[in-house]
Amino acid sequence: MFEIRVICDPDDTNRVSQTLAAAFDIGLEGRNPTRDGKRTRLYVIADHRTVSTNPDHTESE
């Protein structure tokens, strides 16, 4: 598992979150404003997808 941190415009937060969910198995998600209040910090706990969670996974075992 690893943490992904993204700083983005507030209007893009849902799109970024959905894109990460499509690429990784994600868990906890946190959203906080940046210090200047103009952007959002997005924190996601993620893991690589496996054969059981990604039917397109073709890596040999």
Side-chain angles (χ1 to χ4, degrees), residues 5 7-8 32-41 43:
R5 293 183 254 175
I7 296 176
C8 58
N32 296 311
T34 56
R35 290 183 190 142
D36 63 10
K38 296 178 181 178
R39 295 173 290 166
T40 299
R41 290 182 185 183
Y43 301 91

